[in-house]
Amino acid sequence: MESGDAVIALSALAQATRLNIFRTLVEAGPDGLNAGRLAEIIGIPPSSLSFHLKELSHAGLADSRQEGRFVTYSARFETMNRLIAYLTENCCGGTPCGAADVPACGCEAST
C-alpha cells in the first residue's frame, strides 16, 4: 500500500460513524449486510448511511453489490489487511515484538 492510499483509508475511518459502519461490516463477514439492515444496526437514517458508505467505498474499504431490490455492502478485507500491513511493516525496528503473530483476516479468501 502506498502512503497516499493509507492516508485516504485512515481519513475515512477517522470519523466515529464511518468507523462503526466499517467495524459492523467486518463483523458481518464476506456476505455483508443490506443497506436497510446496516442502517438499522447503526441507528442512522439511510441518507446518512449512503453518505458514509460513499466515503468508505472511495477509500477502498467497502464494496456494494445489487441483490434483487437490495444493495448489500461488505468490507474489503484485502484493503483492511494491506492497511494493517502498511502500519506494521517496520514494527519495532525489525525486532520481533508480537505484531507479526497477529493473523490478518482471512475473509478475502472466501469472496
Side-chain angles (χ1 to χ4, degrees):
M1 175 172 276
E2 299 293 323
S3 63
D5 295 330
V7 168
I8 291 169
L10 291 169
S11 294
L13 295 172
Q15 198 280 339
T17 302
R18 283 194 291 277
L19 182 59
N20 192 10
I21 291 167
F22 183 72
R23 292 188 70 198
T24 301
L25 290 175
V26 168
E27 289 175 21
D31 291 338
L33 293 166
N34 73 53
R37 179 69 181 129
L38 185 55
E40 184 179 293
I41 291 169
I42 301 298
I44 61 174
S47 59
S48 295
L49 178 67
S50 294
F51 169 78
H52 292 298
L53 286 167
K54 178 183 68 85
E55 293 298 316
L56 291 170
S57 295
H58 172 72
L61 292 166
D63 274 333
S64 65
R65 65 186 179 279
Q66 191 74 38
E67 293 183 342
R69 356 177 288 214
F70 301 101
V71 178
T72 298
Y73 291 89
S74 56
R76 292 198 56 203
F77 294 99
E78 66 278 5
T79 303
M80 178 186 75
N81 288 335
R82 286 183 23 238
L83 179 61
I84 292 167
Y86 175 81
L87 293 171
T88 60
E89 72 183 330
N90 293 315
C91 181
C92 302
T95 305
C97 65
D101 296 336
V102 178
C105 179
C107 297
E108 73 274 359
S110 61
T111 58

